[in-house]
Amino acid sequence: MASQSQSQAAAAEAAAQSPPAVKEGEEPAAAAASPVGSVVSTNTTTTSTTVVFPDEESDTTVTTTVTTTTTKVVNNNGGSATTTTAGTCLGISVNPLLRLFVHNPKTGATRTPNEEEMEKLTQLDTLDLSSCNIASLARENFAHTTVLAKLLLTNNSLSTLHPDVVASCAQTLTVLHLSFNKIAYLPPFLHLQNLRQLFLSNNQLTEFPAELPVTLERLDLSWNKLRVVPAHIKNLVNLEKLNLWNNCIDTLTPEIMNLTKLKTYSP
C-alpha cells in the first residue's frame, strides 16, 4: 500500500515537471524564463560611478552618477537568473531620448552619428559630440534634430561650420559650443534667431565674426588671433558677457560703449 502511494506521488511530481500535452493545432507553451523552483535567496548589487565635467554656461562643474543595479535570484534547485539594469549617464533621458553625450576625452570616437542613427532622435534637446575627432559636418548629420537647443562640438578639428549644418534647428538652437577647434573663419549665423550663447575660444580666428544674431547674450572669443573689435559689434544689443581675453587686439571700437546690457567684459 505504501509502495503504491509512493508510486502515485512520484508520478504526480513527474507530471508537474513535465510540459503539458499539446493538442493538435495548438502551439507549444513557451518555456519559463525564470529558474524552476522556489526562491532561496536574492542578492542585489548596486555600483555607482561619479562623472565630473565642466559646464561653461555657468562657469562651474556638473557632477552626475552612473548607476548599475545587478540582481541575482537563486532557487532551491540550484538554478539562478541574473538581471542588470543601467541607470542614467551624464543626464541622458530616455523614452524619448532628450540628451545624448558621445564625447570621449581619452580616446575620442572615430565618426559622428550618421543620418540613419540620428533620424530616430527627433526629440533631442542636447547633443554633445565633444572630443570625437570631427573634421567636418554635413547638413545630413542633424537633419532630424529639429528641436535641438544645445549643440556641443568642443575639442574637435573643425576649420569652420557651415550654416546649413544647423539649419534644421535654426529656430530652437540657443547654445553652441565650438571651442578648442581649428576654426579660422565663421560664416554669418543670422538665421540662428534664438541663439543666446556662442563659445569660440581657443580657435584660429583672425577676424571678428560678422553678422551674428542680435539675440546673443554671451560671446566667448578668448584665445584667438583677433586684432580689431569692429564697429558692427554694436548690433549685439542683448550682449551681457563678452570675453576677448588673450587676443592681439590693438583697436577697440568706441561702439562697444553702446552695449548697454553688457555686464562682463574681459579684454
XYZ file of all heavy atoms in Angstrom, residues 46-137:
674
model
N 24.506 47.228 -6.270
C 24.425 48.498 -6.993
C 25.803 49.131 -7.069
O 26.475 49.293 -6.046
C 23.443 49.464 -6.312
O 22.151 48.865 -6.269
C 23.370 50.787 -7.080
N 26.245 49.465 -8.284
C 27.545 50.099 -8.490
C 27.337 51.504 -9.040
O 26.596 51.692 -9.995
C 28.395 49.288 -9.482
O 28.527 47.954 -9.002
C 29.785 49.900 -9.647
N 27.972 52.487 -8.408
C 27.831 53.879 -8.844
C 29.188 54.461 -9.196
O 30.176 54.240 -8.496
C 27.173 54.720 -7.743
O 25.872 54.250 -7.475
N 29.242 55.208 -10.301
C 30.453 55.890 -10.730
C 30.151 57.374 -10.908
O 29.190 57.732 -11.581
C 30.973 55.318 -12.068
O 31.180 53.918 -11.914
C 32.278 55.995 -12.476
N 30.953 58.210 -10.291
C 30.725 59.652 -10.378
C 31.513 60.247 -11.533
O 32.702 59.964 -11.696
C 31.131 60.344 -9.061
O 30.355 59.792 -8.003
C 30.878 61.841 -9.143
N 30.856 61.058 -12.351
C 31.482 61.691 -13.511
C 31.391 63.200 -13.342
O 30.321 63.731 -13.030
C 30.782 61.266 -14.812
C 31.453 61.907 -16.009
C 30.808 59.746 -14.942
N 32.499 63.895 -13.530
C 32.527 65.356 -13.401
C 32.965 65.955 -14.726
O 33.947 65.520 -15.312
C 33.500 65.807 -12.287
C 33.510 67.322 -12.164
C 33.113 65.165 -10.961
N 32.213 66.933 -15.218
C 32.601 67.593 -16.457
C 32.260 69.079 -16.362
O 31.384 69.481 -15.600
C 31.922 66.964 -17.678
C 30.412 67.032 -17.667
C 29.755 68.029 -18.364
C 29.663 66.108 -16.968
C 28.374 68.098 -18.365
C 28.280 66.163 -16.971
C 27.640 67.155 -17.664
N 32.970 69.953 -17.093
C 32.756 71.400 -16.985
C 31.471 71.854 -17.636
O 31.037 71.297 -18.632
C 33.979 71.985 -17.723
C 34.352 70.918 -18.691
C 34.051 69.621 -18.015
N 30.877 72.853 -17.050
C 29.688 73.479 -17.618
C 30.037 74.944 -17.891
O 30.043 75.775 -16.993
C 28.518 73.385 -16.641
C 27.242 73.994 -17.209
O 27.270 74.392 -18.388
O 26.250 74.072 -16.487
N 30.366 75.255 -19.148
C 30.825 76.598 -19.496
C 29.745 77.650 -19.303
O 30.027 78.815 -19.089
C 31.303 76.619 -20.955
C 32.607 75.865 -21.164
C 33.092 75.995 -22.594
O 32.551 75.299 -23.452
O 33.993 76.806 -22.820
N 28.497 77.220 -19.374
C 27.409 78.190 -19.279
C 27.335 78.824 -17.898
O 26.988 79.983 -17.743
C 26.075 77.523 -19.608
C 26.026 76.975 -21.020
C 24.839 76.071 -21.225
O 23.754 76.411 -20.739
O 24.996 75.019 -21.856
N 27.665 78.062 -16.862
C 27.563 78.573 -15.500
C 28.920 78.711 -14.826
O 28.993 79.036 -13.647
C 26.672 77.642 -14.666
O 27.203 76.335 -14.664
N 30.017 78.463 -15.572
C 31.379 78.542 -15.039
C 31.571 77.624 -13.838
O 32.267 77.956 -12.883
C 31.730 79.989 -14.647
C 31.766 80.898 -15.855
O 32.259 80.455 -16.901
O 31.288 82.039 -15.753
N 30.937 76.487 -13.832
C 31.059 75.523 -12.748
C 31.291 74.144 -13.343
O 31.473 73.999 -14.542
C 29.781 75.489 -11.876
O 28.676 75.110 -12.699
C 29.506 76.858 -11.278
N 31.297 73.148 -12.487
C 31.356 71.775 -12.964
C 30.065 71.070 -12.595
O 29.407 71.422 -11.621
C 32.540 71.001 -12.348
O 32.429 71.043 -10.925
C 33.859 71.598 -12.782
N 29.698 70.090 -13.392
C 28.481 69.322 -13.162
C 28.885 67.897 -12.807
O 29.717 67.297 -13.475
C 27.578 69.308 -14.407
C 26.352 68.436 -14.190
C 27.158 70.742 -14.743
N 28.319 67.370 -11.727
C 28.616 66.014 -11.294
C 27.380 65.151 -11.454
O 26.302 65.499 -10.965
C 29.061 65.986 -9.821
O 30.187 66.832 -9.658
C 29.430 64.560 -9.402
N 27.508 64.053 -12.172
C 26.399 63.118 -12.334
C 26.873 61.718 -11.989
O 28.069 61.455 -11.946
C 25.844 63.117 -13.765
O 26.905 62.799 -14.655
C 25.274 64.458 -14.136
N 25.943 60.830 -11.713
C 26.276 59.478 -11.288
C 25.724 58.449 -12.261
O 24.563 58.520 -12.653
C 25.721 59.191 -9.876
O 26.238 60.161 -8.976
C 26.130 57.797 -9.417
N 26.573 57.503 -12.645
C 26.157 56.376 -13.465
C 25.875 55.218 -12.515
O 26.758 54.775 -11.791
C 27.251 55.971 -14.465
C 26.775 54.813 -15.331
C 27.643 57.158 -15.316
N 24.648 54.721 -12.479
C 24.258 53.670 -11.539
C 23.870 52.408 -12.291
O 23.061 52.447 -13.200
C 23.069 54.128 -10.676
O 23.421 55.336 -10.000
C 22.709 53.051 -9.648
N 24.464 51.273 -11.877
C 24.128 49.978 -12.457
C 23.699 49.032 -11.340
O 24.408 48.870 -10.352
C 25.328 49.368 -13.200
O 25.748 50.283 -14.208
C 24.967 48.042 -13.837
N 22.517 48.426 -11.469
C 21.987 47.509 -10.463
C 21.926 46.100 -11.021
O 21.370 45.864 -12.087
C 20.574 47.945 -10.020
O 20.641 49.282 -9.504
C 20.031 47.015 -8.942
N 22.525 45.136 -10.302
C 22.523 43.732 -10.700
C 21.810 42.906 -9.642
O 22.151 42.976 -8.465
C 23.955 43.198 -10.892
O 24.614 43.984 -11.873
C 23.947 41.741 -11.332
N 20.816 42.136 -10.036
C 20.052 41.292 -9.122
C 20.225 39.829 -9.499
O 19.998 39.449 -10.655
C 18.555 41.657 -9.151
O 18.404 43.034 -8.812
C 17.763 40.807 -8.161
N 20.615 38.974 -8.539
C 20.790 37.543 -8.773
C 19.805 36.776 -7.898
O 19.772 36.947 -6.687
C 22.219 37.102 -8.471
C 22.472 35.628 -8.809
C 23.939 35.273 -8.617
C 24.199 33.828 -9.049
N 25.616 33.449 -8.869
N 18.986 35.941 -8.512
C 17.992 35.145 -7.803
C 18.409 33.679 -7.872
O 18.670 33.150 -8.949
C 16.588 35.315 -8.430
C 15.568 34.468 -7.683
C 16.185 36.784 -8.426
N 18.506 33.032 -6.699
C 18.899 31.618 -6.625
C 17.722 30.809 -6.099
O 17.095 31.185 -5.108
C 20.116 31.426 -5.696
C 20.508 29.946 -5.630
C 21.285 32.275 -6.169
N 17.407 29.673 -6.786
C 16.295 28.841 -6.329
C 16.785 27.568 -5.661
O 17.988 27.301 -5.609
C 15.349 28.526 -7.494
C 16.016 27.677 -8.560
O 16.992 26.987 -8.300
N 15.499 27.743 -9.771
N 15.830 26.760 -5.123
C 16.212 25.573 -4.366
C 16.631 24.404 -5.239
O 16.970 23.339 -4.730
C 15.064 25.146 -3.438
C 13.774 24.869 -4.204
O 13.742 24.971 -5.430
N 12.713 24.541 -3.481
N 16.598 24.558 -6.551
C 17.097 23.522 -7.448
C 18.514 23.810 -7.924
O 19.045 23.111 -8.776
C 16.184 23.375 -8.668
C 14.860 22.744 -8.302
O 14.766 22.067 -7.277
N 13.842 22.964 -9.118
N 19.086 24.897 -7.384
C 20.453 25.244 -7.754
C 20.552 26.147 -8.961
O 21.639 26.579 -9.336
N 19.431 26.475 -9.609
C 19.455 27.367 -10.766
C 19.484 28.818 -10.329
O 19.231 29.153 -9.167
N 19.805 29.706 -11.256
C 19.844 31.131 -10.930
C 19.526 31.954 -12.164
O 19.669 31.488 -13.289
C 21.217 31.534 -10.377
O 22.212 31.383 -11.376
N 19.069 33.168 -11.935
C 18.809 34.112 -13.023
C 19.347 35.469 -12.611
O 19.189 35.888 -11.467
C 17.315 34.193 -13.318
N 20.026 36.153 -13.509
C 20.637 37.446 -13.208
C 20.105 38.511 -14.146
O 20.034 38.295 -15.358
C 22.172 37.379 -13.339
O 22.667 36.351 -12.478
C 22.815 38.706 -12.961
N 19.718 39.656 -13.604
C 19.255 40.776 -14.421
C 20.072 42.004 -14.078
O 20.425 42.223 -12.909
C 17.765 41.077 -14.179
O 17.574 41.391 -12.797
C 16.908 39.881 -14.533
N 20.397 42.803 -15.083
C 21.180 44.020 -14.882
C 20.421 45.207 -15.452
O 19.957 45.161 -16.584
C 22.558 43.908 -15.568
O 23.249 42.781 -15.025
C 23.386 45.162 -15.340
N 20.314 46.258 -14.656
C 19.620 47.461 -15.089
C 20.543 48.656 -14.955
O 21.065 48.915 -13.859
C 18.353 47.704 -14.248
O 17.524 46.557 -14.319
C 17.592 48.919 -14.765
N 20.794 49.377 -16.065
C 21.658 50.556 -16.031
C 20.824 51.798 -15.811
O 19.712 51.911 -16.317
C 22.437 50.682 -17.342
N 21.359 52.725 -15.038
C 20.639 53.964 -14.768
C 21.026 55.056 -15.734
O 21.496 54.790 -16.837
N 20.878 56.317 -15.333
C 21.180 57.435 -16.213
C 22.675 57.698 -16.255
O 23.395 57.414 -15.305
C 20.473 58.716 -15.723
O 20.902 58.968 -14.373
C 18.972 58.527 -15.751
N 23.143 58.235 -17.375
C 24.550 58.568 -17.551
C 24.665 59.959 -18.152
O 24.161 60.215 -19.240
C 25.234 57.536 -18.449
S 26.934 57.938 -18.867
N 25.307 60.872 -17.409
C 25.522 62.232 -17.903
C 24.226 62.906 -18.333
O 24.161 63.599 -19.344
C 26.522 62.213 -19.079
C 27.951 61.806 -18.733
C 28.791 61.778 -19.997
C 28.566 62.731 -17.721
N 23.199 62.681 -17.594
C 21.948 63.362 -17.864
C 21.151 62.828 -19.023
O 20.240 63.486 -19.500
N 21.467 61.624 -19.523
C 20.717 61.067 -20.640
C 19.300 60.747 -20.189
O 19.098 60.094 -19.190
C 21.383 59.797 -21.179
C 22.736 60.153 -21.815
C 20.501 59.090 -22.190
C 23.478 58.966 -22.341
N 18.327 61.223 -20.898
C 16.939 60.896 -20.636
C 16.458 59.952 -21.724
O 16.877 60.050 -22.861
C 16.073 62.166 -20.641
O 16.552 63.079 -19.685
N 15.595 59.009 -21.367
C 15.154 58.029 -22.356
C 13.650 58.069 -22.526
O 12.918 58.555 -21.687
C 15.584 56.603 -21.947
C 17.085 56.494 -21.961
C 15.041 56.241 -20.573
N 13.208 57.520 -23.662
C 11.796 57.304 -23.995
C 10.961 58.586 -23.954
O 10.050 58.706 -23.143
C 11.193 56.245 -23.073
C 9.881 55.710 -23.632
O 9.665 55.727 -24.845
N 9.003 55.265 -22.771
N 11.143 59.542 -24.857
C 12.181 59.517 -25.898
C 13.496 60.088 -25.385
O 13.520 60.774 -24.363
C 11.587 60.424 -26.975
C 10.830 61.441 -26.179
C 10.248 60.691 -24.999
N 14.572 59.819 -26.112
C 15.877 60.333 -25.725
C 15.918 61.844 -25.921
O 15.652 62.353 -26.998
C 16.966 59.668 -26.577
C 18.408 59.944 -26.126
C 18.662 59.337 -24.753
C 19.387 59.356 -27.125
N 16.258 62.559 -24.837
C 16.298 64.016 -24.890
C 17.725 64.553 -24.904
O 17.974 65.607 -25.472
C 15.553 64.602 -23.683
C 14.080 64.213 -23.549
C 13.484 64.874 -22.320
C 13.300 64.596 -24.785
N 18.657 63.823 -24.274
C 20.034 64.298 -24.207
C 20.984 63.163 -24.552
O 20.856 62.064 -24.021
C 20.353 64.835 -22.805
C 19.476 66.008 -22.391
C 19.757 66.438 -20.978
N 18.892 67.535 -20.578
C 18.883 68.072 -19.362
N 19.688 67.611 -18.425
N 18.065 69.062 -19.077
N 21.931 63.460 -25.429
C 22.884 62.445 -25.867
C 24.291 63.000 -25.779
O 24.610 64.024 -26.380
C 22.570 62.011 -27.306
C 23.538 61.018 -27.941
C 23.569 59.709 -27.144
C 23.151 60.747 -29.385
N 25.150 62.313 -25.011
C 26.535 62.716 -24.845
C 27.428 61.611 -25.408
O 27.418 60.489 -24.910
C 26.867 62.935 -23.361
C 26.056 64.019 -22.717
C 24.776 63.761 -22.266
C 26.572 65.294 -22.563
C 24.018 64.767 -21.679
C 25.834 66.293 -21.970
C 24.552 66.031 -21.522
N 28.196 61.927 -26.438
C 29.001 60.927 -27.126
C 30.487 61.132 -26.885
O 31.291 60.280 -27.183
C 28.702 60.948 -28.644
C 29.420 59.828 -29.386
C 27.199 60.824 -28.885
N 30.880 62.243 -26.306
C 32.304 62.586 -26.255
C 33.111 61.595 -25.415
O 32.622 61.006 -24.461
C 32.492 64.005 -25.699
C 31.970 64.198 -24.305
N 32.773 64.269 -23.204
C 30.697 64.339 -23.845
C 32.037 64.450 -22.125
N 30.777 64.494 -22.489
N 34.358 61.396 -25.812
C 35.285 60.509 -25.126
C 36.605 61.244 -24.996
O 37.427 61.223 -25.907
C 35.467 59.203 -25.898
C 36.277 58.193 -25.108
O 37.036 58.547 -24.213
N 36.115 56.929 -25.441
N 36.852 61.921 -23.862
C 38.056 62.738 -23.723
C 39.365 61.951 -23.818
O 40.400 62.514 -24.114
C 37.895 63.341 -22.320
C 36.443 63.226 -22.014
C 35.984 61.980 -22.707
N 39.340 60.635 -23.573
C 40.585 59.865 -23.565
C 40.978 59.374 -24.956
O 42.097 59.542 -25.405
C 40.442 58.676 -22.610
C 40.344 59.088 -21.149
C 40.303 57.875 -20.242
C 40.246 58.300 -18.775
N 40.205 57.128 -17.864
N 40.055 58.726 -25.641
C 40.409 58.139 -26.940
C 39.723 58.818 -28.103
O 40.249 58.840 -29.201
C 40.031 56.647 -26.961
O 38.618 56.524 -26.758
C 40.754 55.893 -25.855
N 38.539 59.374 -27.870
C 37.793 60.005 -28.939
C 37.121 58.994 -29.840
O 37.610 57.896 -30.054
N 35.963 59.359 -30.351
C 35.282 58.487 -31.300
C 35.892 58.690 -32.680
O 36.648 59.618 -32.908
C 33.788 58.789 -31.315
N 35.557 57.831 -33.610
C 36.151 57.921 -34.953
C 35.201 58.523 -35.968
O 35.600 58.803 -37.077
C 36.581 56.531 -35.438
O 35.438 55.656 -35.423
C 37.649 55.950 -34.521
N 33.931 58.702 -35.593
C 32.974 59.262 -36.545
C 31.802 59.873 -35.798
O 31.620 59.646 -34.610
C 32.456 58.180 -37.490
C 31.660 57.082 -36.778
C 31.005 56.162 -37.777
N 30.254 55.099 -37.133
C 29.016 55.222 -36.679
N 28.399 56.393 -36.763
N 28.384 54.214 -36.117
N 30.995 60.628 -36.530
C 29.778 61.182 -35.954
C 28.616 60.247 -36.263
O 28.685 59.455 -37.191
C 29.473 62.567 -36.562
O 29.351 62.408 -37.977
C 30.571 63.547 -36.248
N 27.538 60.327 -35.491
C 26.363 59.504 -35.808
C 25.858 59.825 -37.212
O 25.771 60.987 -37.597
C 25.354 59.935 -34.734
C 26.187 60.460 -33.618
C 27.370 61.106 -34.263
N 25.535 58.791 -37.999
C 25.068 59.034 -39.357
C 23.580 59.364 -39.381
O 22.900 59.343 -38.353
C 25.373 57.834 -40.256
C 24.733 56.548 -39.744
O 23.600 56.560 -39.260
N 25.459 55.445 -39.841
N 23.062 59.657 -40.577
C 21.679 60.094 -40.706
C 20.703 59.018 -40.237
O 19.705 59.314 -39.578
C 21.373 60.470 -42.159
C 19.964 61.028 -42.357
C 19.705 61.429 -43.795
O 20.594 61.211 -44.644
O 18.615 61.964 -44.060
N 21.002 57.768 -40.540
C 20.109 56.676 -40.138
C 20.024 56.562 -38.621
O 18.964 56.299 -38.058
C 20.601 55.359 -40.740
C 19.696 54.171 -40.423
C 20.187 52.889 -41.072
O 21.151 52.945 -41.852
O 19.591 51.836 -40.776
N 21.161 56.773 -37.954
C 21.177 56.695 -36.498
C 20.465 57.896 -35.868
O 19.796 57.778 -34.843
C 22.623 56.628 -36.001
C 23.335 55.346 -36.388
C 24.835 55.432 -36.191
O 25.392 56.550 -36.254
O 25.443 54.373 -35.992
N 20.599 59.052 -36.499
C 20.044 60.275 -35.926
C 18.559 60.452 -36.200
O 17.877 61.176 -35.477
C 20.802 61.494 -36.472
C 22.245 61.579 -36.012
S 22.404 61.811 -34.224
C 21.704 63.448 -34.050
N 18.038 59.776 -37.223
C 16.645 60.009 -37.588
C 15.667 59.524 -36.522
O 14.493 59.923 -36.527
C 16.336 59.342 -38.921
C 16.355 57.829 -38.903
C 16.052 57.229 -40.272
O 15.872 58.005 -41.235
O 15.999 55.999 -40.358
N 16.145 58.696 -35.600
C 15.303 58.227 -34.511
C 15.349 59.169 -33.300
O 14.593 58.983 -32.355
C 15.744 56.826 -34.089
C 15.699 55.805 -35.206
C 16.264 54.469 -34.754
C 16.279 53.472 -35.898
N 16.870 52.163 -35.489
N 16.233 60.139 -33.341
C 16.435 61.021 -32.183
C 15.814 62.384 -32.442
O 16.445 63.425 -32.280
C 17.936 61.146 -31.895
C 18.678 59.822 -31.704
C 20.159 60.062 -31.486
C 18.090 59.040 -30.541
N 14.560 62.385 -32.817
C 13.896 63.616 -33.231
C 13.573 64.545 -32.068
O 13.288 65.722 -32.293
C 12.591 63.293 -33.976
O 11.758 62.490 -33.119
C 12.878 62.525 -35.257
N 13.631 64.060 -30.832
C 13.287 64.872 -29.679
C 14.512 65.358 -28.903
O 14.374 65.883 -27.796
C 12.368 64.084 -28.735
C 11.049 63.671 -29.354
C 10.251 64.855 -29.852
O 10.037 65.826 -29.133
N 9.819 64.786 -31.102
N 15.702 65.198 -29.492
C 16.924 65.599 -28.800
C 16.903 67.082 -28.447
O 16.681 67.939 -29.301
C 18.154 65.308 -29.652
C 18.809 63.935 -29.536
C 20.090 63.899 -30.354
C 19.100 63.583 -28.095
N 17.171 67.371 -27.200
C 17.302 68.748 -26.720
C 18.770 69.147 -26.631
O 19.144 70.290 -26.899
C 16.629 68.870 -25.347
C 16.924 70.186 -24.664
O 16.212 71.170 -24.940
O 17.889 70.239 -23.867
N 19.624 68.197 -26.253
C 21.047 68.441 -26.087
C 21.848 67.353 -26.782
O 21.581 66.165 -26.587
C 21.430 68.469 -24.591
O 20.693 69.491 -23.937
C 22.926 68.719 -24.409
N 22.826 67.747 -27.583
C 23.711 66.798 -28.262
C 25.153 67.225 -28.027
O 25.555 68.323 -28.391
C 23.407 66.751 -29.759
C 24.312 65.850 -30.608
C 24.264 64.407 -30.119
C 23.928 65.941 -32.081
N 25.933 66.350 -27.393
C 27.330 66.631 -27.096
C 28.212 65.677 -27.895
O 28.226 64.478 -27.651
C 27.580 66.459 -25.594
C 28.971 66.929 -25.184
O 29.817 67.133 -26.072
O 29.215 67.094 -23.974
N 28.943 66.221 -28.864
C 29.881 65.451 -29.679
C 31.303 65.959 -29.460
O 32.125 65.984 -30.368
C 29.504 65.554 -31.159
C 28.170 64.930 -31.566
C 27.846 65.250 -33.016
C 28.185 63.425 -31.350
N 31.609 66.367 -28.244
C 32.939 66.862 -27.916
C 33.967 65.744 -27.993
O 33.659 64.586 -27.717
C 32.949 67.461 -26.506
O 32.046 68.527 -26.396
N 35.181 66.102 -28.382
C 36.309 65.162 -28.417
C 36.006 63.920 -29.244
O 36.258 62.794 -28.814
C 36.693 64.757 -26.986
O 37.001 65.869 -26.193
N 35.452 64.119 -30.424
C 35.112 62.994 -31.305
C 35.919 62.998 -32.598
O 35.547 62.343 -33.570
C 33.614 63.011 -31.625
S 32.569 62.481 -30.255
N 37.000 63.765 -32.647
C 37.867 63.813 -33.841
C 37.112 64.243 -35.093
O 37.380 63.761 -36.194
C 38.519 62.446 -34.088
C 39.415 62.014 -32.953
O 40.037 62.840 -32.293
N 39.478 60.717 -32.694
N 36.176 65.150 -34.957
C 35.357 65.585 -36.091
C 36.092 66.677 -36.865
O 36.474 67.704 -36.305
C 33.998 66.121 -35.601
C 33.243 65.021 -34.853
C 33.168 66.624 -36.776
C 31.982 65.510 -34.179
N 36.266 66.462 -38.159
C 36.925 67.450 -39.009
C 35.929 68.223 -39.862
O 36.205 69.344 -40.295
C 37.956 66.781 -39.899
N 34.771 67.629 -40.127
C 33.753 68.309 -40.925
C 32.382 67.733 -40.580
O 32.268 66.613 -40.084
C 34.034 68.142 -42.426
O 33.977 66.771 -42.792
N 31.358 68.514 -40.886
C 29.974 68.099 -40.645
C 29.129 68.472 -41.855
O 29.396 69.480 -42.517
C 29.414 68.782 -39.392
C 29.953 68.289 -38.041
C 29.569 69.258 -36.946
C 29.451 66.894 -37.731
